[in-house]
Amino acid sequence: MRGRLSGTASEEIDALYRHRRLDLVRLAVLLVDDIPTAEDVVQEAFAALYRRHSDTLDNIADPEAYIRRSVVNTSRDVLRRRRTVRAYIPPRILPAPPPEDEILLKEEHQEVLRALRLLTVRQREVLVLRYWSNLSEADIAAALDLSRGAVKSTASRALKALAKRLKETS
C-alpha cells in the first residue's frame, strides 16, 4: 500500500481509510462482537493515526500493518473496559432510617441494630432471615443459595460475634 499512496500524510491516511476500512471493521467485529463498537474502534484507530502522524507517514514502515495493530489494541481496550464495567458492583446505599425510628426504638434495640451493622453481610442476612423473618434453615439456605450446614455455621458465628459486640458496648 505504501508505494501506491502519494501526496501528504493526510491524503495517504484518507486513501488507507478508503481502501482498508471495511476489512478493519470486519476484523474489529470479530474481536468486539458488535458492528457499532467495531466501527468506533476503526474510527478511533484512524483518528489516533492522524493525530500522531498527520505530517508524515515516512517513519511507519507498513501503514496497513500499523493501523491493523492499532485496531487490535483498541479492541483489547474496549474488551478490558467491558470487563471492568461488568465487574463493578456499586456500593449499596442504605436508606437513612426515618427520624421516628430513633425515637420509637429503645436504647437496647438501637445497640442491637448498631452491632448487627458491624457483622458481615452474609452473617447479617442469615440472622435477619432467621430471627426477624422467622425463616427455617432450609428456607434461608434456598434464599441465599447456601447449604443448610453453611446457614447453621454462619448463624452460630454471627450470634457469637453479635454477643461479643454487645458486651463491648456495655
Side-chain angles (χ1 to χ4, degrees):
M1 185 86 192
R2 183 79 178 129
R4 290 183 276 157
L5 294 176
S6 62
T8 67
S10 181
E11 291 169 346
E12 291 179 45
I13 293 171
D14 289 346
L16 181 61
Y17 181 80
R18 282 191 307 278
H19 293 308
R20 295 293 173 224
R21 184 185 74 81
L22 289 177
D23 291 336
L24 293 170
V25 169
R26 285 185 198 114
L27 169 66
V29 165
L30 294 172
L31 297 173
V32 298
D33 207 24
D34 74 275
I35 293 171
T37 303
E39 290 172 342
D40 290 345
V41 163
V42 172
Q43 288 291 348
E44 179 57 34
F46 274 101
L49 176 65
Y50 188 80
R51 280 191 308 271
R52 292 184 189 118
H53 303 283
S54 63
D55 52 343
T56 182
L57 291 181
D58 291 339
N59 56 349
I60 300 175
D62 186 354
E64 284 185 39
Y66 181 91
I67 197 71
R68 191 177 316 111
R69 171 52 86 192
S70 182
V71 166
V72 169
N73 288 339
T74 306
S75 296
R76 286 179 180 161
D77 291 343
V78 165
L79 295 174
R80 198 174 303 119
R81 281 191 298 273
R82 281 183 186 169
R83 273 195 313 270
T84 301
V85 166
R86 279 190 217 116
Y88 176 72
I89 300 170
R92 195 175 83 190
I93 299 173
L94 299 174
E100 60 271 7
D101 283 359
E102 292 291 322
I103 296 168
L104 296 176
L105 290 177
K106 293 181 182 175
E107 181 60 34
E108 58 198 39
H109 289 110
Q110 291 176 12
E111 287 177 24
V112 171
L113 291 175
R114 281 192 292 271
L116 194 61
R117 287 185 197 115
L118 298 174
L119 298 176
T120 67
V121 173
R122 180 181 282 176
Q123 288 176 336
R124 188 170 46 247
E125 289 171 343
V126 168
L127 288 185
V128 168
L129 291 174
R130 179 69 185 109
Y131 296 103
W132 276 269
S133 297
N134 293 319
L135 294 181
S136 68
E137 289 171 354
D139 292 336
I140 297 169
L144 299 179
D145 197 27
L146 300 171
S147 68
R148 286 181 68 184
V151 170
K152 283 183 181 180
S153 63
T154 301
S156 175
R157 282 193 297 271
L159 287 172
K160 286 179 186 173
L162 189 63
K164 180 182 174 188
R165 293 215 164 74
L166 288 172
K167 282 184 184 178
E168 291 171 357
T169 60
S170 299

